Amino acid sequence: MEQHSPTGRRRGIGRRALLIGGAAAGLGTAGVLGSDELSRLWWRLPGNDKPRKEGELDHEGAEWIPASAVNWRRADRPADYVIDRVVIHVVQGSYPVALKVFRDPEHGAAAHYVVRKDGHVAQMIRELDVAFHAGNRGINERSIGIEHEGFVDRPGSFTDAMYRASARLTAGICARYGFPADREHVVGHVEVPGTDHTDPGPHWDWDRYLELVRKALVRRA
């Protein structure tokens, strides 16, 4: 099948577009999805899904503790959704509590990572997948969520070990996806449009944190 452009030049419809359209039609979605959404179905076609290995980590040194599959959505980022945000969360509870609720299929939410007070990091969802962590679909699709053990109203929750471990984690994410370590791209949950959350709260030291992230980026260079 071919089309003609306004200049009279023939414009072919690529095999990829035809395959995507056919797949969407088979799913009964071709009539409701735009071209941008259709393009994101490409990875679902046979032979195009990225290889996956159980327990594989995106952050060196993390411990793999998988979240319930109900609390995230399979994707192929950044091929289908650009990643250009880190969202900082605070659990309002302990590290074990965060792991427990993120593994609970009734909870309906989970973050990619959880950072403990002593700096230990658990990875619960692969970065290529979309975690239900921000309460905003668009932000979920473009971001990595990092939870931190503690409470927003307790300054002692945020230890030096936690800041440093989390900063190394965020620096790695910034480096992998090529976005800057600044307050436009590293945000708090409270800043997500439509959220009713207040974390990380007034005691989270953004200046200190971003300085540590930038230092970690320099060490990676």
Side-chain angles (χ1 to χ4, degrees):
M1 181 182 291
E2 61 186 26
Q3 295 177 331
H4 290 271
S5 71
T7 62
R9 298 169 65 183
R10 295 191 303 179
R11 184 177 60 197
I13 297 179
R15 177 175 177 271
R16 173 170 171 164
L18 287 171
L19 287 171
I20 293 170
L27 294 170
T29 58
V32 297
L33 294 178
S35 60
D36 189 47
E37 286 296 319
L38 284 174
S39 71
R40 290 171 178 159
L41 293 174
W42 173 246
W43 68 271
R44 296 188 183 184
L45 298 178
N48 292 302
D49 194 7
K50 286 182 180 176
R52 292 167 183 254
K53 182 178 180 181
E54 181 66 25
E56 189 171 12
L57 297 168
D58 296 297
H59 179 66
E60 185 178 358
E63 178 184 8
W64 176 251
I65 304 176
S68 169
V70 178
N71 297 332
W72 55 273
R73 171 161 56 87
R74 193 174 175 94
D76 189 31
R77 302 188 308 170
D80 49 2
Y81 298 101
V82 171
I83 297 175
D84 64 0
R85 294 288 188 281
V86 171
V87 180
I88 301 298
H89 303 261
V90 173
V91 175
Q92 287 300 93
S94 68
Y95 175 84
V97 164
L99 301 185
K100 180 180 179 179
V101 298
F102 291 165
R103 300 183 78 179
D104 180 358
E106 299 296 322
H107 184 62
H112 294 90
Y113 295 98
V114 183
V115 183
R116 203 165 62 193
K117 285 184 180 180
D118 64 359
H120 182 74
V121 177
Q123 180 167 3
M124 305 195 73
I125 300 168
R126 289 292 309 279
E127 291 179 6
L128 51 78
D129 293 319
V130 175
F132 304 150
H133 67 97
N136 178 303
R137 177 174 176 173
I139 297 297
N140 284 342
E141 289 171 342
R142 70 191 303 171
S143 68
I144 306 294
I146 305 177
E147 282 280 359
H148 298 80
E149 181 179 26
F151 298 84
V152 297
D153 58 347
R154 301 181 189 176
S157 293
F158 310 130
T159 65
D160 182 66
M162 174 184 283
Y163 273 123
R164 291 183 181 279
S166 179
R168 288 192 295 272
L169 172 56
T170 293
I173 295 166
C174 291
R176 274 191 289 283
Y177 304 107
F179 61 88
D182 60 27
R183 290 289 283 115
E184 179 182 351
H185 298 86
V186 183
V187 303
H189 194 182
V190 66
E191 298 167 274
V192 172
T195 187
D196 60 356
H197 288 247
T198 63
D199 52 319
H203 302 297
W204 182 264
D205 191 336
W206 280 109
D207 290 339
R208 176 185 181 187
Y209 185 68
L210 288 177
E211 182 180 1
L212 288 170
V213 174
R214 291 166 185 148
K215 286 180 178 178
L217 279 168
V218 169
R219 288 193 291 271
R220 292 177 62 93

